[in-house]
Structure formats: structure tokens, C-alpha cells
Amino acid sequence: RIWGCAEGAQACPAGTVVKQTELARVLTEISDKGAPGFYRGWVAKKLTDGLQAAGGIMTVQDLAEYQATLRVQLRGEFRGMEVVTMPPPSAGGALVLQMLGFVDLADESGEFSEGFGSARSVHALGHAMRLAFSDRAEVFGDPDQVQVPVQELLSFEYIKNRWQKSYSPVSATRAVEPGVRFAAVGSLPSASKQAVPPAGLPEGDHTTHFSIIDREG
């Protein structure tokens, strides 16, 4: 259901005003009180009440004691521009830098010469994504628990070797093996194995995001 629209899954007509009053209250609380506006007070109470009602175990004390871990951002270059992006445990930043490296190599061999959206350019972009995501499935995870070889994954030699050994301009590869293998901290299973839900447990169809804004907006 979409707020402000008729019942059902149809799209809202143009000009529909969608009001999320509960979200507005939460964002106002965070704006007024900073981190305590989320991790303490009525927001924390409402959040944990909802989780416990659904069978969760998080408590208001858990939220109050939570400390965010600050990590060093990843940096790369693309066509003279500096790209600053997310480090692990997010895989997204490294994947973006990897794919930009693959794109540079594809561009050198003229894979984008027929223009954006051409079969040739889509084929090259698809392969770049396939290579990056095969590494993501194998080695990415919480760096407190797994050793993510970020420097190796982003090195020019690694990216060039991966591209030259796997890319064909005339055919698509059905599956691509990861270029590096998982290294565990202690005796933990690989990140790819950890991602497999237990038998009979339904897999979710969504992602949770946090949007964070600094004092400069």
C-alpha cells in the first residue's frame, strides 16, 4: 500500500502528496538531539518494542551502549578525478573502484566506441560487474571477522590481469570465478558461506539503509 493513494499496488498519480509523519518525527528528533535522539529516548523504545514483538532480542540498553566504528575511506582515481567511497564492511565502495578500473581497460580497447547503450558497451559493463560481484561474494565481510584483501583487489595489476584473462568481446561468460580466495580470521567460514541462510529460513527481499548527514548538510 502507498500512503495517500487508493488501496492496492498501483502507482500514485502525478502530484500525489505522500506524508510519512512517523519518519518526520524520527528525523526531527535526530536533528534536535543528535545521536541520542536515535539511540535513546522514545525512538529507541519504539524500535526495540517493535523488534521484540516480532521475536527479536534487542533492548534499549543495547542501543544506548552502541558505539559506531570509524573506518578509513577508500580512495581511487578515474579519468583525472579522485573517487572517495565506502570501505568494508560495505562492499559497494571497493566494487565501484574495481568496476571503474575495468571500464578504463575496456575503453582502451574501444568497447565504448559505439556509444552508451550499445550492445558492445553493455557487454563490457556487464562483464565488469560480473567480475566485481564474484569477488564480493567470496571475500567481503566485516573486517573484524574476515580478512578482506582490499589493496590487492584494487591494485592495477590485479584488475588488468582479471580483465585480460576473462573478457571476450564476442561472447559472454556464464559464470566467473573470484580472483582471490577468502582468508579467515581464526576459524570462521568464508563470507560466501556465511551468507547462505539456514535451510527453511526465507530470505529477505529488501535492504536496510542508514542515511547520514554531517553538520555541513
Side-chain angles (χ1 to χ4, degrees):
R1 179 183 178 185
I2 303 176
W3 295 276
C5 303
E7 293 289 340
Q10 70 273 17
C12 294
T16 299
V17 176
V18 179
K19 296 183 179 181
Q20 294 178 276
T21 54
E22 287 285 282
L23 176 60
R25 287 184 63 212
V26 171
L27 295 179
T28 299
E29 188 78 358
I30 295 171
S31 177
D32 290 343
K33 299 180 180 178
F38 182 84
Y39 293 105
R40 300 173 184 272
W42 70 264
V43 175
K45 180 68 165 55
K46 189 160 188 175
L47 177 61
T48 54
D49 283 351
L51 289 170
Q52 290 176 14
I57 62 173
M58 186 181 292
T59 67
V60 289
Q61 184 177 354
D62 292 331
L63 280 181
E65 294 178 351
Y66 177 77
Q67 294 292 321
T69 300
L70 299 179
R71 301 191 187 276
V72 178
Q73 67 271 30
L74 298 182
R75 295 174 179 267
E77 291 186 0
F78 182 69
R79 298 183 178 178
M81 296 177 287
E82 183 181 34
V83 181
V84 182
T85 186
M86 302 167 290
S90 169
L95 262 62
V96 166
L97 294 178
Q98 264 199 334
M99 288 186 281
L100 291 177
F102 294 135
V103 164
D104 259 340
L105 294 171
D107 193 34
E108 288 177 6
S109 58
E111 301 308 313
F112 301 107
S113 60
E114 297 176 8
F116 177 78
S118 66
R120 190 176 179 183
S121 66
V122 170
H123 173 56
L125 285 172
H127 190 70
M129 295 175 186
R130 187 178 290 115
L131 290 175
F133 274 88
S134 67
D135 281 345
R136 175 189 183 274
E138 175 67 18
V139 299
F140 274 92
D142 184 347
D144 288 340
Q145 306 295 327
V146 298
Q147 295 172 356
V148 184
V150 174
Q151 296 306 314
E152 179 183 355
L153 293 169
L154 299 182
S155 70
F156 175 75
E157 293 76 14
Y158 175 80
I159 289 174
K160 182 177 181 181
N161 183 60
R162 285 276 279 161
W163 185 259
Q164 291 181 341
K165 285 188 174 182
S166 65
Y167 181 70
S168 168
V170 296
S171 63
T173 51
R174 180 167 295 185
V176 176
E177 290 293 320
V180 292
R181 289 298 175 182
F182 175 84
V185 177
S187 58
L188 292 174
S190 74
S192 58
K193 290 179 180 177
Q194 289 182 44
V196 178
L201 182 66
E203 190 171 343
D205 58 1
H206 56 272
T207 301
T208 298
H209 292 273
F210 287 95
S211 297
I212 301 169
I213 302 174
D214 67 13
R215 69 185 63 190
E216 303 297 329

Short mmCIF file of all heavy atoms in Angstrom, two decimals, residues 117-167:
data_model
loop_
_atom_site.label_atom_id
_atom_site.label_comp_id
_atom_site.label_asym_id
_atom_site.label_seq_id
_atom_site.Cartn_x
_atom_site.Cartn_y
_atom_site.Cartn_z
N GLY A 117 24.81 2.43 -24.22
CA GLY A 117 23.62 1.64 -24.50
C GLY A 117 23.77 0.70 -25.68
O GLY A 117 22.85 -0.09 -25.95
N SER A 118 24.89 0.77 -26.39
CA SER A 118 25.11 -0.17 -27.49
C SER A 118 25.36 -1.56 -26.92
O SER A 118 25.75 -1.71 -25.76
CB SER A 118 26.31 0.27 -28.34
OG SER A 118 27.51 0.18 -27.58
N ALA A 119 25.15 -2.59 -27.75
CA ALA A 119 25.37 -3.95 -27.29
C ALA A 119 26.81 -4.14 -26.82
O ALA A 119 27.07 -4.83 -25.83
CB ALA A 119 25.03 -4.93 -28.41
N ARG A 120 27.73 -3.53 -27.53
CA ARG A 120 29.15 -3.68 -27.19
C ARG A 120 29.47 -3.08 -25.83
O ARG A 120 30.17 -3.67 -25.01
CB ARG A 120 30.00 -3.03 -28.28
CG ARG A 120 31.48 -3.33 -28.18
CD ARG A 120 32.22 -2.72 -29.36
NE ARG A 120 33.67 -2.97 -29.27
CZ ARG A 120 34.54 -2.48 -30.14
NH1 ARG A 120 34.11 -1.72 -31.16
NH2 ARG A 120 35.83 -2.72 -29.99
N SER A 121 28.95 -1.88 -25.56
CA SER A 121 29.23 -1.23 -24.28
C SER A 121 28.53 -1.94 -23.13
O SER A 121 29.10 -2.10 -22.04
CB SER A 121 28.82 0.24 -24.32
OG SER A 121 27.42 0.38 -24.44
N VAL A 122 27.29 -2.38 -23.34
CA VAL A 122 26.56 -3.11 -22.29
C VAL A 122 27.26 -4.42 -21.97
O VAL A 122 27.36 -4.83 -20.81
CB VAL A 122 25.10 -3.35 -22.72
CG1 VAL A 122 24.41 -4.31 -21.76
CG2 VAL A 122 24.34 -2.03 -22.79
N HIS A 123 27.78 -5.08 -23.00
CA HIS A 123 28.51 -6.33 -22.80
C HIS A 123 29.74 -6.11 -21.91
O HIS A 123 30.01 -6.88 -20.97
CB HIS A 123 28.93 -6.89 -24.16
CG HIS A 123 29.83 -8.08 -24.10
ND1 HIS A 123 29.49 -9.24 -23.42
CD2 HIS A 123 31.06 -8.30 -24.62
CE1 HIS A 123 30.48 -10.12 -23.54
NE2 HIS A 123 31.45 -9.56 -24.25
N ALA A 124 30.50 -5.02 -22.18
CA ALA A 124 31.70 -4.73 -21.38
C ALA A 124 31.33 -4.36 -19.96
O ALA A 124 31.97 -4.82 -18.99
CB ALA A 124 32.49 -3.60 -22.04
N LEU A 125 30.30 -3.53 -19.80
CA LEU A 125 29.88 -3.14 -18.45
C LEU A 125 29.38 -4.35 -17.67
O LEU A 125 29.67 -4.50 -16.48
CB LEU A 125 28.78 -2.08 -18.53
CG LEU A 125 29.20 -0.67 -18.92
CD1 LEU A 125 27.98 0.20 -19.14
CD2 LEU A 125 30.10 -0.07 -17.85
N GLY A 126 28.63 -5.21 -18.31
CA GLY A 126 28.13 -6.40 -17.65
C GLY A 126 29.25 -7.29 -17.16
O GLY A 126 29.18 -7.85 -16.05
N HIS A 127 30.29 -7.41 -17.97
CA HIS A 127 31.41 -8.26 -17.55
C HIS A 127 32.17 -7.62 -16.39
O HIS A 127 32.62 -8.32 -15.47
CB HIS A 127 32.36 -8.50 -18.72
CG HIS A 127 33.38 -9.55 -18.43
ND1 HIS A 127 33.06 -10.89 -18.31
CD2 HIS A 127 34.72 -9.46 -18.19
CE1 HIS A 127 34.16 -11.58 -18.02
NE2 HIS A 127 35.17 -10.74 -17.94
N ALA A 128 32.32 -6.30 -16.43
CA ALA A 128 32.98 -5.61 -15.32
C ALA A 128 32.23 -5.85 -14.01
O ALA A 128 32.83 -6.13 -12.97
CB ALA A 128 33.06 -4.11 -15.61
N MET A 129 30.91 -5.77 -14.07
CA MET A 129 30.10 -6.01 -12.88
C MET A 129 30.19 -7.46 -12.43
O MET A 129 30.27 -7.76 -11.23
CB MET A 129 28.64 -5.64 -13.15
CG MET A 129 28.41 -4.17 -13.43
SD MET A 129 26.69 -3.83 -13.88
CE MET A 129 26.82 -2.08 -14.30
N ARG A 130 30.21 -8.37 -13.40
CA ARG A 130 30.29 -9.79 -13.07
C ARG A 130 31.59 -10.10 -12.33
O ARG A 130 31.61 -10.84 -11.34
CB ARG A 130 30.19 -10.61 -14.36
CG ARG A 130 30.09 -12.11 -14.13
CD ARG A 130 29.95 -12.85 -15.44
NE ARG A 130 28.66 -12.61 -16.06
CZ ARG A 130 28.49 -11.97 -17.22
NH1 ARG A 130 29.52 -11.49 -17.88
NH2 ARG A 130 27.28 -11.81 -17.71
N LEU A 131 32.70 -9.54 -12.78
CA LEU A 131 33.98 -9.76 -12.13
C LEU A 131 33.98 -9.22 -10.70
O LEU A 131 34.42 -9.89 -9.76
CB LEU A 131 35.11 -9.09 -12.92
CG LEU A 131 35.48 -9.70 -14.27
CD1 LEU A 131 36.52 -8.83 -14.97
CD2 LEU A 131 36.01 -11.11 -14.11
N ALA A 132 33.48 -8.00 -10.55
CA ALA A 132 33.49 -7.38 -9.22
C ALA A 132 32.60 -8.14 -8.24
O ALA A 132 32.98 -8.40 -7.10
CB ALA A 132 33.04 -5.92 -9.33
N PHE A 133 31.42 -8.53 -8.69
CA PHE A 133 30.50 -9.20 -7.78
C PHE A 133 30.92 -10.63 -7.46
O PHE A 133 30.55 -11.16 -6.41
CB PHE A 133 29.07 -9.15 -8.33
CG PHE A 133 28.36 -7.89 -7.96
CD1 PHE A 133 28.46 -6.76 -8.75
CD2 PHE A 133 27.60 -7.82 -6.80
CE1 PHE A 133 27.82 -5.57 -8.40
CE2 PHE A 133 26.96 -6.65 -6.44
CZ PHE A 133 27.07 -5.51 -7.24
N SER A 134 31.70 -11.26 -8.33
CA SER A 134 32.21 -12.58 -7.97
C SER A 134 33.21 -12.47 -6.82
O SER A 134 33.24 -13.34 -5.93
CB SER A 134 32.87 -13.25 -9.18
OG SER A 134 34.05 -12.58 -9.57
N ASP A 135 34.00 -11.40 -6.79
CA ASP A 135 34.89 -11.18 -5.65
C ASP A 135 34.09 -10.82 -4.40
O ASP A 135 34.41 -11.27 -3.30
CB ASP A 135 35.88 -10.04 -5.96
CG ASP A 135 37.03 -10.49 -6.84
OD1 ASP A 135 37.24 -11.71 -6.97
OD2 ASP A 135 37.74 -9.62 -7.38
N ARG A 136 33.06 -10.03 -4.58
CA ARG A 136 32.24 -9.64 -3.42
C ARG A 136 31.66 -10.85 -2.72
O ARG A 136 31.69 -10.94 -1.48
CB ARG A 136 31.10 -8.74 -3.89
CG ARG A 136 30.12 -8.36 -2.80
CD ARG A 136 28.90 -7.66 -3.41
NE ARG A 136 27.98 -7.23 -2.39
CZ ARG A 136 27.02 -8.00 -1.86
NH1 ARG A 136 26.91 -9.26 -2.24
NH2 ARG A 136 26.21 -7.51 -0.95
N ALA A 137 31.15 -11.80 -3.50
CA ALA A 137 30.52 -12.97 -2.91
C ALA A 137 31.51 -13.86 -2.17
O ALA A 137 31.14 -14.59 -1.25
CB ALA A 137 29.81 -13.78 -4.00
N GLU A 138 32.78 -13.76 -2.53
CA GLU A 138 33.78 -14.65 -1.94
C GLU A 138 34.46 -14.06 -0.71
O GLU A 138 34.63 -14.75 0.29
CB GLU A 138 34.84 -15.00 -2.99
CG GLU A 138 36.01 -15.83 -2.45
CD GLU A 138 35.60 -17.23 -2.03
OE1 GLU A 138 34.53 -17.72 -2.45
OE2 GLU A 138 36.35 -17.85 -1.27
N VAL A 139 34.84 -12.78 -0.75
CA VAL A 139 35.77 -12.29 0.27
C VAL A 139 35.27 -11.15 1.13
O VAL A 139 35.93 -10.80 2.12
CB VAL A 139 37.12 -11.88 -0.36
CG1 VAL A 139 37.77 -13.06 -1.05
CG2 VAL A 139 36.95 -10.73 -1.34
N PHE A 140 34.14 -10.54 0.81
CA PHE A 140 33.74 -9.37 1.60
C PHE A 140 32.95 -9.76 2.84
O PHE A 140 32.16 -10.69 2.82
CB PHE A 140 32.94 -8.39 0.75
CG PHE A 140 33.81 -7.46 -0.02
CD1 PHE A 140 34.21 -7.78 -1.31
CD2 PHE A 140 34.26 -6.27 0.53
CE1 PHE A 140 35.04 -6.94 -2.03
CE2 PHE A 140 35.09 -5.42 -0.17
CZ PHE A 140 35.47 -5.75 -1.46
N GLY A 141 33.20 -9.02 3.90
CA GLY A 141 32.52 -9.22 5.17
C GLY A 141 33.00 -8.19 6.17
O GLY A 141 33.68 -7.22 5.82
N ASP A 142 32.67 -8.39 7.42
CA ASP A 142 33.09 -7.50 8.50
C ASP A 142 34.60 -7.66 8.69
O ASP A 142 35.08 -8.74 9.01
CB ASP A 142 32.35 -7.88 9.78
CG ASP A 142 32.67 -6.93 10.93
OD1 ASP A 142 33.63 -6.14 10.83
OD2 ASP A 142 31.96 -7.00 11.95
N PRO A 143 35.39 -6.59 8.50
CA PRO A 143 36.85 -6.72 8.65
C PRO A 143 37.29 -7.10 10.06
O PRO A 143 38.45 -7.46 10.25
CB PRO A 143 37.38 -5.35 8.23
CG PRO A 143 36.22 -4.43 8.36
CD PRO A 143 34.99 -5.25 8.08
N ASP A 144 36.40 -7.02 11.04
CA ASP A 144 36.73 -7.51 12.37
C ASP A 144 36.67 -9.04 12.42
O ASP A 144 37.18 -9.66 13.36
CB ASP A 144 35.76 -6.95 13.41
CG ASP A 144 36.01 -5.47 13.68
OD1 ASP A 144 37.12 -4.99 13.38
OD2 ASP A 144 35.09 -4.81 14.19
N GLN A 145 36.04 -9.64 11.42
CA GLN A 145 35.84 -11.08 11.41
C GLN A 145 36.54 -11.78 10.25
O GLN A 145 36.83 -12.97 10.34
CB GLN A 145 34.34 -11.40 11.36
CG GLN A 145 33.51 -10.75 12.45
CD GLN A 145 33.87 -11.23 13.84
OE1 GLN A 145 34.23 -12.39 14.01
NE2 GLN A 145 33.77 -10.37 14.83
N VAL A 146 36.73 -11.09 9.14
CA VAL A 146 37.37 -11.68 7.97
C VAL A 146 38.43 -10.74 7.43
O VAL A 146 38.36 -9.53 7.63
CB VAL A 146 36.34 -12.00 6.85
CG1 VAL A 146 35.32 -13.03 7.32
CG2 VAL A 146 35.64 -10.73 6.38
N GLN A 147 39.41 -11.31 6.76
CA GLN A 147 40.47 -10.51 6.16
C GLN A 147 40.08 -10.19 4.72
O GLN A 147 40.11 -11.06 3.85
CB GLN A 147 41.79 -11.28 6.21
CG GLN A 147 42.30 -11.52 7.63
CD GLN A 147 43.50 -12.43 7.68
OE1 GLN A 147 43.94 -12.95 6.65
NE2 GLN A 147 44.04 -12.63 8.86
N VAL A 148 39.71 -8.96 4.48
CA VAL A 148 39.31 -8.53 3.14
C VAL A 148 40.53 -7.91 2.45
O VAL A 148 41.00 -6.86 2.88
CB VAL A 148 38.17 -7.50 3.20
CG1 VAL A 148 37.71 -7.14 1.80
CG2 VAL A 148 37.00 -8.04 4.02
N PRO A 149 41.05 -8.52 1.38
CA PRO A 149 42.29 -8.04 0.75
C PRO A 149 42.03 -6.86 -0.17
O PRO A 149 42.20 -6.92 -1.40
CB PRO A 149 42.75 -9.27 -0.03
CG PRO A 149 41.48 -9.98 -0.40
CD PRO A 149 40.55 -9.77 0.77
N VAL A 150 41.63 -5.72 0.40
CA VAL A 150 41.19 -4.57 -0.38
C VAL A 150 42.30 -4.06 -1.30
O VAL A 150 42.06 -3.78 -2.48
CB VAL A 150 40.70 -3.45 0.55
CG1 VAL A 150 40.37 -2.20 -0.25
CG2 VAL A 150 39.48 -3.90 1.33
N GLN A 151 43.51 -3.94 -0.77
CA GLN A 151 44.60 -3.39 -1.58
C GLN A 151 44.87 -4.26 -2.79
O GLN A 151 45.13 -3.77 -3.89
CB GLN A 151 45.86 -3.22 -0.72
CG GLN A 151 45.71 -2.23 0.42
CD GLN A 151 45.23 -0.87 -0.05
OE1 GLN A 151 45.73 -0.32 -1.04
NE2 GLN A 151 44.23 -0.32 0.64
N GLU A 152 44.85 -5.57 -2.60
CA GLU A 152 45.05 -6.48 -3.73
C GLU A 152 43.93 -6.35 -4.74
O GLU A 152 44.16 -6.28 -5.95
CB GLU A 152 45.14 -7.93 -3.24
CG GLU A 152 45.32 -8.94 -4.37
CD GLU A 152 45.34 -10.37 -3.88
OE1 GLU A 152 45.30 -10.59 -2.65
OE2 GLU A 152 45.39 -11.28 -4.72
N LEU A 153 42.69 -6.30 -4.26
CA LEU A 153 41.54 -6.22 -5.15
C LEU A 153 41.54 -4.96 -6.00
O LEU A 153 41.01 -4.95 -7.11
CB LEU A 153 40.24 -6.27 -4.33
CG LEU A 153 39.93 -7.59 -3.62
CD1 LEU A 153 38.78 -7.40 -2.65
CD2 LEU A 153 39.58 -8.67 -4.63
N LEU A 154 42.13 -3.88 -5.47
CA LEU A 154 42.11 -2.60 -6.17
C LEU A 154 43.41 -2.28 -6.88
O LEU A 154 43.53 -1.22 -7.51
CB LEU A 154 41.78 -1.47 -5.17
CG LEU A 154 40.41 -1.57 -4.49
CD1 LEU A 154 40.19 -0.37 -3.58
CD2 LEU A 154 39.29 -1.67 -5.51
N SER A 155 44.38 -3.17 -6.82
CA SER A 155 45.66 -2.90 -7.49
C SER A 155 45.48 -2.97 -9.01
O SER A 155 44.69 -3.77 -9.53
CB SER A 155 46.73 -3.89 -7.05
OG SER A 155 46.46 -5.19 -7.56
N PHE A 156 46.23 -2.15 -9.72
CA PHE A 156 46.13 -2.12 -11.19
C PHE A 156 46.51 -3.47 -11.79
O PHE A 156 45.87 -3.94 -12.74
CB PHE A 156 47.03 -1.03 -11.75
CG PHE A 156 47.07 -1.01 -13.25
CD1 PHE A 156 46.00 -0.52 -13.98
CD2 PHE A 156 48.18 -1.51 -13.93
CE1 PHE A 156 46.03 -0.53 -15.38
CE2 PHE A 156 48.21 -1.51 -15.32
CZ PHE A 156 47.14 -1.01 -16.05
N GLU A 157 47.52 -4.11 -11.22
CA GLU A 157 47.97 -5.40 -11.75
C GLU A 157 46.86 -6.44 -11.65
O GLU A 157 46.64 -7.22 -12.57
CB GLU A 157 49.22 -5.87 -11.00
CG GLU A 157 50.46 -5.03 -11.22
CD GLU A 157 50.43 -3.72 -10.45
OE1 GLU A 157 49.57 -3.59 -9.53
OE2 GLU A 157 51.24 -2.83 -10.76
N TYR A 158 46.19 -6.46 -10.50
CA TYR A 158 45.11 -7.44 -10.29
C TYR A 158 43.96 -7.19 -11.26
O TYR A 158 43.46 -8.12 -11.91
CB TYR A 158 44.61 -7.35 -8.85
CG TYR A 158 43.42 -8.24 -8.56
CD1 TYR A 158 43.60 -9.60 -8.31
CD2 TYR A 158 42.12 -7.73 -8.56
CE1 TYR A 158 42.50 -10.42 -8.05
CE2 TYR A 158 41.04 -8.54 -8.30
CZ TYR A 158 41.23 -9.89 -8.05
OH TYR A 158 40.15 -10.70 -7.81
N ILE A 159 43.53 -5.94 -11.37
CA ILE A 159 42.41 -5.59 -12.24
C ILE A 159 42.74 -5.89 -13.70
O ILE A 159 41.93 -6.46 -14.44
CB ILE A 159 42.02 -4.12 -12.03
CG1 ILE A 159 41.38 -3.94 -10.65
CG2 ILE A 159 41.09 -3.63 -13.12
CD1 ILE A 159 41.08 -2.51 -10.26
N LYS A 160 43.94 -5.53 -14.13
CA LYS A 160 44.35 -5.77 -15.51
C LYS A 160 44.41 -7.27 -15.81
O LYS A 160 43.92 -7.73 -16.86
CB LYS A 160 45.71 -5.14 -15.77
CG LYS A 160 46.20 -5.29 -17.20
CD LYS A 160 47.52 -4.58 -17.41
CE LYS A 160 47.99 -4.71 -18.84
NZ LYS A 160 49.30 -4.03 -19.05
N ASN A 161 44.95 -8.05 -14.88
CA ASN A 161 45.06 -9.49 -15.08
C ASN A 161 43.69 -10.14 -15.16
O ASN A 161 43.43 -11.01 -16.01
CB ASN A 161 45.87 -10.10 -13.93
CG ASN A 161 46.09 -11.58 -14.11
OD1 ASN A 161 46.68 -12.03 -15.09
ND2 ASN A 161 45.63 -12.37 -13.15
N ARG A 162 42.78 -9.71 -14.25
CA ARG A 162 41.42 -10.26 -14.25
C ARG A 162 40.72 -9.98 -15.58
O ARG A 162 40.08 -10.86 -16.16
CB ARG A 162 40.61 -9.64 -13.12
CG ARG A 162 40.95 -10.15 -11.75
CD ARG A 162 40.23 -11.44 -11.42
NE ARG A 162 38.86 -11.17 -10.96
CZ ARG A 162 37.89 -12.07 -10.95
NH1 ARG A 162 38.12 -13.27 -11.43
NH2 ARG A 162 36.69 -11.77 -10.49
N TRP A 163 40.84 -8.76 -16.05
CA TRP A 163 40.15 -8.37 -17.28
C TRP A 163 40.71 -9.10 -18.49
O TRP A 163 39.97 -9.67 -19.29
CB TRP A 163 40.25 -6.87 -17.48
CG TRP A 163 39.45 -6.38 -18.65
CD1 TRP A 163 39.91 -6.08 -19.89
CD2 TRP A 163 38.04 -6.16 -18.68
NE1 TRP A 163 38.89 -5.68 -20.71
CE2 TRP A 163 37.72 -5.72 -19.98
CE3 TRP A 163 37.02 -6.29 -17.75
CZ2 TRP A 163 36.42 -5.41 -20.37
CZ3 TRP A 163 35.73 -5.96 -18.13
CH2 TRP A 163 35.43 -5.54 -19.42
N GLN A 164 42.02 -9.10 -18.62
CA GLN A 164 42.63 -9.69 -19.81
C GLN A 164 42.41 -11.20 -19.89
O GLN A 164 42.29 -11.76 -20.98
CB GLN A 164 44.13 -9.37 -19.84
CG GLN A 164 44.43 -7.90 -20.10
CD GLN A 164 45.91 -7.60 -20.13
OE1 GLN A 164 46.74 -8.38 -19.64
NE2 GLN A 164 46.27 -6.46 -20.70
N LYS A 165 42.35 -11.86 -18.75
CA LYS A 165 42.19 -13.31 -18.75
C LYS A 165 40.75 -13.77 -18.92
O LYS A 165 40.51 -14.94 -19.25
CB LYS A 165 42.76 -13.90 -17.46
CG LYS A 165 44.28 -13.94 -17.41
CD LYS A 165 44.76 -14.72 -16.20
CE LYS A 165 46.27 -14.89 -16.23
NZ LYS A 165 46.76 -15.69 -15.07
N SER A 166 39.79 -12.88 -18.68
CA SER A 166 38.40 -13.33 -18.66
C SER A 166 37.51 -12.68 -19.71
O SER A 166 36.46 -13.24 -20.05
CB SER A 166 37.79 -13.09 -17.28
OG SER A 166 37.72 -11.69 -17.01
N TYR A 167 37.90 -11.52 -20.25
CA TYR A 167 36.98 -10.79 -21.13
C TYR A 167 37.10 -11.25 -22.58
O TYR A 167 38.20 -11.35 -23.13
CB TYR A 167 37.23 -9.29 -21.06
CG TYR A 167 36.28 -8.51 -21.94
CD1 TYR A 167 34.93 -8.42 -21.62
CD2 TYR A 167 36.73 -7.89 -23.11
CE1 TYR A 167 34.04 -7.72 -22.43
CE2 TYR A 167 35.85 -7.19 -23.92
CZ TYR A 167 34.52 -7.12 -23.58
OH TYR A 167 33.64 -6.43 -24.38
#
